[in-house]
């Protein structure tokens, strides 16, 4: 059986049948229900009326007490009748009372004003009494206020009820004619709505109820009475019965039509949803279902549409991640192939990190050591893994995708501090939230427990675990590439460095001399080559041993490095000979520098061999005056050195 027919049967069984049964049952109890509705109307009206009376009584009491507080009570007790009359008029005016009376200890009225001028009013009133202070305990002042007939009339008339305030069983105030006597009067005590009875008034029967007003409220014993004609109750019951029957028929018809439409709507929406699901299975992820309502069917359609949107976004994210991963892998090859250029290596690593993770910015910092030919200090061998670089470490960095004003302070300051913090902590990944809601995370470039640098990524939130793995992989490859670069730099350094003195060797000297002469020729600058030979060095080795000779060579090398310019090149020429290339220097200036070096060398005192003394013979040749190529310049400087030796050593000679 189709779902549509099942819904018809279900609706008939669950809705229509119970509705018919309920209509028949309602018809049987309608008479009783109608009477109960009028009883409830009477009860609510009585309760509201009593609340009005009690409210008026509280207001009178409050206003009366306020007026008494500002009244000279001693004058009330001791004043003359005219003075008392004036005081009572004032109290009556300020309290809004309709009458005020002074009563002595015997309950007799001494004097009064308004409706209480002769004692208790003729009709029941709301009353409030104040006893004077201890010194005047025999006096009382009592205030009266008429019932708010308009307010009570509004309450009862809105419910179509007759009412009255009865004294001695007869109507005094209300819609009942004065003097009418509802009968029977028995049973007219009790709270509002506690008891309902029939009363005959002027030949008509009433459904009635009454309540005796509390003695604390009224000046005299009184009863609040209300009722409605039984003819009205019966006519209303018949009308309600007829209207109920018509209404039941209309409801059955409307319910049947609504059931048909609902069943058709539900099955139609489900058919459309099923068709969209089938299309999605076939790959049509653009198919959507129209949301026609806010019920569960509409919610199901909306959820299906959101699911389709999520699938489309998920596939797009997968495609984007796939593209980023492919680019990252492509850049990874570039990283490993970029070992010849440290700056390029850092740039490639930063680009790969941005493409692979979608970060807003990347900061890559290298802690790799520099080498003398780059104008940097020697690496500090005392720096172990997991500690920040010392003054002997050269630091390089590359910033990708980060605006100049992105970090607080100088560009990259925050990333640099995070990288150092990570290095101090031994290479652990560090995360820091920025004031602008972004998040920085630093990843160490680790190789064999040695930190070669750090990669700092800036994103709008925490990076996904998959992207963290990509960054970790990139930093591992970058660390390997940096280590290869360091090894290559070390090999090149060893190839051009004299292991004894740490100066450049003869090979580097020849290459550098040729380059400097070519540069001097291009820009028409002079240049000088000086060759320094230690006099009688063989005697030092023979007399004090080779360790003394080695220490002497190292001391001379340190003097040369300390007394030449940064742009000059100093090298070990061979044995006990040294060479100095001085770009953009004429021969006269170079001779002066060499004279100074000769004196400093003559003053050397070795720590372990204080008795050793040495002098130096120096030959100086200039470009282009003495030679126009490096071969001839070496020969002229060597000839000048020979002349220094021949002339007695410990002297400087120009070519």
């Amino acid at each position: 059986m189709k779902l549509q027919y099942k819904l018809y049967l279900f609706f008939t069984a669950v809705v229509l049948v119970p509705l018919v049964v309920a209509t028949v049952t309602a018809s049987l109890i309608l008479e009783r229900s109608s009477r109960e509705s009028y009883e409830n109307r009477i009860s609510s009206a009585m309760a509201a009326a009593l609340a009005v009376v009690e409210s008026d009584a509280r207001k009178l009491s409050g206003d009366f007490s306020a007026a008494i507080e500002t009244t000279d009570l001693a004058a009330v007790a001791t004043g003359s009748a005219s003075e008392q009359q004036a005081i009572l008029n004032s109290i009556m005016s300020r309290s809004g009372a309709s009458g005020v009376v002074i009563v002595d200890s015997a309950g007799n009225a001494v004097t009064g004003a308004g409706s209480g001028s002769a004692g208790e009013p003729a009709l029941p009133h709301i009353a409030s009494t104040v006893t004077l202070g201890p010194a005047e305990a025999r006096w009382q002042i009592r205030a009266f206020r008429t019932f708010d007939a308009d307010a009570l009339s509004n309450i009862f008339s809105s419910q179509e009820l007759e009412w009255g305030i009865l004294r001695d069983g007869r109507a005094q105030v209300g819609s009942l004619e004065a003097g009418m006597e509802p009968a029977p009067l028995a049973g007219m005590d009790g709270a509002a709505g506690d008891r309902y009875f029939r009363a005959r008034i002027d030949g008509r029967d009433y459904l009635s109820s009454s309540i005796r007003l509390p003695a604390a409220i009224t000046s005299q014993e009184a009863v609040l009475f209300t009722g409605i004609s039984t003819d009205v109750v019966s006519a209303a019951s018949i009308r309600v019965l007829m209207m109920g029957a018509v209404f039941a028929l209309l409801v059955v018809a409307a319910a049947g039509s609504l059931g048909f439409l609902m069943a058709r709507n539900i099955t139609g929406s489900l058919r459309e949803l099923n068709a969209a699901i089938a299309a999605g299975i076939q790959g049509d992820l653009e198919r959507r279902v129209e949301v026609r309502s806010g019920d569960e069917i509409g919610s199901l359609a909306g959820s299906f549409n959101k699911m389709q949107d999520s699938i489309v976004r998920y596939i797009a994210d997968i495609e984007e991640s796939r593209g980023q991963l492919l680019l990252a892998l492509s850049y990874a090859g570039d990283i490993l192939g970029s070992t010849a250029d440290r700056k390029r290596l850092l740039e490639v690593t930063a680009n790969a990190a941005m493409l692979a993770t979608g970060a807003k910015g990347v900061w890559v910092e290298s802690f790799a050591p520099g080498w003398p030919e780059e104008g940097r200090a020697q690496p500090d061998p005392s720096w172990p893994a997991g500690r920040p670089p010392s003054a002997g470490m050269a630091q390089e960095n590359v910033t990708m995708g980060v605006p100049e004003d992105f970090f607080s302070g100088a560009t990259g300051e925050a990333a640099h501090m995070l990288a150092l913090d990570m290095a101090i902590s031994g290479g652990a990944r560090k995360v820091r939230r920025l004031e602008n809601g972004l998040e920085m995370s630093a990843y160490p470039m680790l190789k064999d427990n040695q930190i070669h640098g750090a990669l700092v990524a800036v994103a709008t939130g925490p990076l996904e675990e998959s992207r963290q793995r990509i960054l970790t992989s990139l930093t591992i490859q970058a660390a390997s590439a940096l280590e290869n670069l360091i090894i290559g730099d070390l090999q090149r350094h060893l190839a051009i460095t004299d292991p004894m003195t740490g100066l450049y060797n003869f090979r580097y000297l020849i290459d550098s001399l040729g380059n400097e002469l070519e540069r001097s020729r291009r820009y028409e600058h002079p240049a000088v080559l000086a060759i320094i030979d230690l006099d009688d060095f063989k005697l030092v080795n023979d007399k004090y041993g080779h360790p003394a000779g080695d220490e002497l060579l190292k001391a001379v090398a340190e003097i040369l490095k300390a007394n030449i310019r940064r742009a000059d090149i100093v090298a070990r020429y061979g044995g006990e000979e040294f060479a100095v290339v001085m770009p953009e220097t004429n021969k006269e200036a170079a001779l002066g520098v060499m004279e100074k070096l000769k004196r400093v060398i003559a003053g050397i005192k070795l720590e372990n061999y204080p008795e050793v003394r040495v002098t130096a013979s120096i030959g100086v040749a200039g470009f282009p005056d003495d030679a126009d190529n490096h071969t001839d310049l070496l020969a002229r400087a060597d000839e000048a050195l020979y002349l220094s030796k021949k002339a007695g050593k410990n002297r400087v000679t120009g070519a």
Side-chain angles (χ1 to χ4, degrees):
M1 184 183 294
K2 291 185 177 181
L3 176 61
Q4 185 173 0
Y5 300 145
K6 291 181 179 179
L7 289 174
Y8 291 159
L9 292 176
F10 176 79
F11 189 81
T12 300
V14 174
V15 178
L16 294 183
V17 172
L19 185 59
V20 172
V21 173
T23 302
V24 174
T25 304
S27 298
L28 296 177
I29 64 173
L30 195 56
E31 172 65 25
R32 180 178 178 182
S33 175
S34 177
R35 174 187 170 88
E36 289 179 352
S37 68
Y38 277 99
E39 290 177 350
N40 292 335
R41 185 184 299 184
I42 291 172
S43 177
S44 62
M46 290 287 279
L50 183 60
V52 168
V53 173
E54 290 176 341
S55 176
D56 285 347
R58 286 193 297 272
K59 187 173 188 310
L60 174 60
S61 178
D63 294 343
F64 184 44
S65 297
I68 289 297
E69 289 178 358
T70 58
T71 298
D72 185 359
L73 298 180
V76 173
T78 61
S80 64
S82 60
E83 290 175 339
Q84 290 176 343
Q85 186 71 34
I87 292 172
L88 293 183
N89 285 329
S90 175
I91 293 174
M92 185 172 64
S93 173
R94 284 178 287 145
S95 65
S98 58
V100 180
V101 63
I102 298 176
V103 181
D104 61 16
S105 58
N108 299 317
V110 177
T111 184
S115 61
S117 59
E120 294 287 341
L123 298 178
H125 280 60
I126 298 171
S128 179
T129 301
V130 174
T131 301
L132 301 184
E136 299 86 14
R138 61 192 184 90
W139 293 100
Q140 286 186 338
I141 301 179
R142 185 174 301 170
F144 305 99
R145 181 180 290 172
T146 59
F147 286 95
D148 190 349
D150 290 338
L152 296 176
S153 180
N154 288 336
I155 292 173
F156 290 110
S157 62
S158 65
Q159 301 292 336
E160 300 178 349
L161 300 174
E162 300 290 343
W163 70 283
I165 295 179
L166 311 182
R167 180 185 178 191
D168 297 329
R170 296 180 181 277
Q172 301 291 329
V173 179
S175 62
L176 298 177
E177 291 184 16
M180 279 191 174
E181 184 178 358
L185 297 179
M188 294 175 64
D189 269 338
D194 279 356
R195 183 176 301 172
Y196 303 96
F197 54 89
R198 288 185 181 273
R200 181 170 290 273
I201 304 175
D202 197 20
R204 297 177 63 186
D205 288 340
Y206 284 77
L207 177 63
S208 308
S209 182
S210 64
I211 182 172
R212 190 173 299 279
L213 296 177
I217 291 179
T218 61
S219 60
Q220 301 170 359
E221 184 176 309
V223 173
L224 179 62
F225 170 88
T226 185
I228 187 169
S229 173
T230 55
D231 295 338
V232 175
V233 177
S234 299
S237 299
I238 295 173
R239 287 197 304 271
V240 171
L241 179 60
M242 293 180 63
M243 291 175 61
V246 173
F247 177 75
L249 292 175
L250 292 176
V251 169
V252 170
S257 301
L258 180 62
F260 173 78
L261 294 175
M262 288 179 60
R264 187 173 182 180
N265 180 63
I266 291 172
T267 55
S269 298
L270 291 176
R271 280 195 299 269
E272 184 181 357
L273 181 60
N274 184 58
I277 293 173
I281 293 174
Q282 298 298 322
D284 183 8
L285 298 178
E286 300 301 324
R287 184 79 169 267
R288 298 293 184 271
V289 179
E290 183 180 356
V291 180
R292 296 188 177 91
S293 64
D295 57 11
E296 286 77 2
I297 298 296
S299 177
L300 182 61
S303 297
F304 172 80
N305 293 337
K306 291 179 181 178
M307 180 186 70
Q308 292 287 81
D309 293 339
S310 297
I311 292 174
V312 170
R313 288 195 300 269
Y314 182 69
I315 292 175
D317 290 343
I318 290 177
E319 290 295 330
E320 182 183 0
S321 299
R322 179 173 175 270
Q324 290 175 342
L325 183 58
L326 290 175
L327 285 172
L329 292 175
S330 173
Y331 269 94
D334 290 342
I335 291 175
L336 294 176
S338 300
T339 55
D341 185 344
R342 182 181 299 155
K343 194 75 171 180
R344 172 62 181 161
L345 170 61
L346 300 182
E347 290 175 353
V348 171
T349 302
N351 268 316
M354 284 195 65
L355 291 171
T357 63
K360 290 183 67 66
V362 174
W363 170 281
V364 180
E365 183 161 353
S366 167
F367 300 151
W371 304 104
E373 70 271 19
E374 299 176 358
R376 293 174 180 166
Q378 291 280 3
D380 184 354
S382 66
W383 179 50
R387 293 183 56 193
S390 67
M393 303 302 295
Q395 293 173 237
E396 289 183 325
N397 58 71
V398 169
T399 305
M400 302 298 294
V402 181
E404 287 295 325
D405 58 351
F406 186 82
F407 297 108
S408 59
T411 300
E413 177 183 354
H416 173 67
M417 296 307 297
L418 185 62
L420 289 182
D421 187 23
M422 181 201 64
I424 294 172
S425 65
R429 174 176 171 264
K430 288 283 184 179
V431 177
R432 182 171 300 160
R433 290 193 176 277
L434 303 178
E435 293 180 356
N436 49 17
L438 300 176
E439 181 175 290
M440 284 198 310
S441 52
Y443 298 80
M445 295 181 184
L446 280 173
K447 183 67 165 62
D448 299 329
N449 294 324
Q450 176 69 42
I451 298 180
H452 293 285
L455 185 152
V456 180
V458 182
T460 54
L463 289 175
E464 299 173 359
E465 186 175 351
S466 59
R467 299 190 177 187
Q468 292 183 27
R469 288 197 297 268
I470 291 175
L471 288 179
T472 301
S473 176
L474 288 174
T475 54
I476 291 174
Q477 296 179 65
S480 297
L482 280 171
E483 186 175 68
N484 292 338
L485 189 149
I486 293 171
I487 292 173
D489 284 349
L490 180 60
Q491 291 173 343
R492 287 190 295 273
H493 178 73
L494 293 176
I496 62 175
T497 305
D498 173 56
M500 168 71 72
T501 61
L503 302 176
Y504 291 120
N505 57 21
F506 179 78
R507 172 185 172 184
Y508 186 81
L509 171 69
I510 299 302
D511 292 342
S512 299
L513 180 60
N515 293 335
E516 288 300 333
L517 293 184
E518 184 63 32
R519 187 180 299 108
S520 297
R521 182 178 292 107
R522 183 182 307 116
Y523 297 107
E524 298 182 355
H525 292 157
V528 172
L529 171 66
I531 299 178
I532 304 168
D533 181 74
L534 301 183
D535 299 325
D536 302 319
F537 181 75
K538 185 175 181 303
L539 295 178
V540 175
N541 283 337
D542 293 342
K543 184 175 182 180
Y544 299 102
H546 287 282
D550 293 344
E551 186 173 338
L552 180 60
L553 291 175
K554 293 177 182 179
V556 172
E558 291 300 321
I559 287 174
L560 293 178
K561 288 190 290 184
N563 289 275
I564 64 171
R565 299 173 304 177
R566 188 177 182 85
D568 298 339
I569 299 172
V570 59
R572 188 176 180 188
Y573 191 57
E576 68 274 16
E577 290 183 324
F578 301 88
V580 179
V581 179
M582 306 175 70
E584 300 184 27
T585 305
N586 58 41
K587 188 165 67 174
E588 182 180 356
L591 289 171
V593 173
M594 291 302 115
E595 286 288 350
K596 175 184 176 182
L597 283 174
K598 183 196 72 172
R599 291 192 298 271
V600 175
I601 291 173
I604 287 177
K605 290 185 179 180
L606 302 180
E607 181 178 355
N608 297 319
Y609 303 94
E611 65 275 18
V612 172
R613 293 290 182 273
V614 69
T615 60
S617 297
I618 304 174
V620 179
F623 171 89
D625 296 337
D626 299 324
D628 63 354
N629 60 73
H630 74 278
T631 302
D632 292 343
L633 192 64
L634 279 169
R636 300 289 83 77
D638 198 52
E639 290 173 0
L641 173 63
Y642 176 75
L643 293 176
S644 293
K645 292 283 189 181
K646 186 177 180 180
K649 304 177 183 178
N650 192 26
R651 65 185 63 240
V652 179
T653 304

